[in-house]
Amino acid sequence: MKATAKAHTNIALIKYWGKRDESLILPTNNSLSLTLDGFYTKTTVEFREDLARDIFYLDEERISGVQYDRVRNFLDLIRNHADKKDLYAQVHSINEVPTAAGFASSASGFAALAAAGSRALGMQLSDQELSRLTRQGSGSACRSVYGGFAEWQQGVEADGSDSYAVPVAPADHWDIRVAAVVLSAKMKKVSSREGMKRTVDTSPFFRSWVNSIPADLEEIKQGITERDFDKVGHIAEANCLKMHATTLGARPPFTYWTDATMAVMQAVQALRANGIPAFFTIDAGPNVKVLYLPENEIEVEKALRNVPEVTDVILSRSGQGISYN
Ligand code: DP6
């Protein structure tokens, strides 16, 4: 009754921002991501007859509170699925991702938990089934089932049966790189869950954001197929700016950006002005991820480290989907 799985985090190039159903985690738009090999979670789940409740360790530390509740609720889903309602688990996760600083640690975390948990109970899920299950832990996590580029199809059904991710292109399709620029390892003030909800409920820009997605998706998928870096980069950067623009229209308004975020955005634009193709994208936190090509790695890393507010730059390649051992 024990299994271990490893899942990498992913960075959205077309963002998931808005839910149509909060408890099932159903989105208002399709999203598209690149899985990263530099950041992952490795999780072991062991279901044991002698346990009276679930136990969760993250990086060797016993976890309680909200984080524990999310894991327990997710294990309930797996238990229900396998018809093993009274069987509790010990979960050990090792996170190779700076937690809650816009690095989507919940993405690799829930993908690894879904994979290890379902295996531990003897379930043999297809990628599609696993992605659908993972989605209910954290939306963006459903894309981490796959390596390379993946698209989360929002679906139309009220029960979420057609809302899961599908592969777009494997990791070896294209050696595209991502620099994760670390500015602050502090916990974010407005979680993605809360920020998304406030935007849906109150921002007059939200509808236009949703309406703009299909064209962005079509173009970026064409860019990925053709390995057209300029096309992919420009669309990803513009899509990120549109997502963040919706937060300024919310009530109360908010932004994830800090002075340091903007300094990095300007450094990326300066790289482009000097003929080096590089593009930024930002999730629900201050940190910035920069897309670049292998031949420009040295210049890109140097330019980012030159920004005074930058504390670290972590270089990553396209990563693989879920693996077991
Ligand atoms: C800005 O997947 O963390 O990173 O579904 O509520 O758990 P929940 O939200 P989450 O949101 C991620 C939002 C984003 C964009 C993205 O990854 O697509």
Side-chain angles (χ1 to χ4, degrees), residues 10 12 14-17 19 25 31 70 104 106 135 137-141 143 152 192-193 196 243 282-284:
N10 68 76
I14 303 295
K15 305 291 185 193
Y16 147 51
W17 194 244
K19 291 184 182 68
I25 311 198
S31 53
R70 276 185 78 178
S106 67
R135 186 203 78 225
S138 182
S140 54
R143 301 180 306 234
W152 177 8
S192 48
R193 198 159 278 194
M196 209 181 284
M243 175 204 127
I282 304 158
D283 281 338

Side-chain angles (χ1 to χ4, degrees), residues 163-208:
S163 187
Y164 48 79
V166 296
V168 169
D172 62 7
H173 167 70
W174 191 11
D175 187 7
I176 188 171
R177 308 253 171 117
V178 175
V181 185
V182 183
L183 303 169
S184 145
K186 283 191 215 126
M187 297 290 277
K188 52 195 177 188
K189 284 204 224 78
V190 182
S191 69
S192 48
R193 198 159 278 194
E194 184 193 334
M196 209 181 284
K197 180 168 167 41
R198 196 189 299 174
T199 303
V200 174
D201 290 346
T202 65
S203 178
F205 307 150
F206 181 67
R207 260 303 116 200
S208 330

Side-chain angles (χ1 to χ4, degrees), residues 265-284:
M265 289 157 75
Q266 279 158 4
V268 171
Q269 282 164 346
L271 274 167
R272 283 215 295 279
N274 289 324
I276 296 165
F279 299 88
F280 62 77
T281 186
I282 304 158
D283 281 338

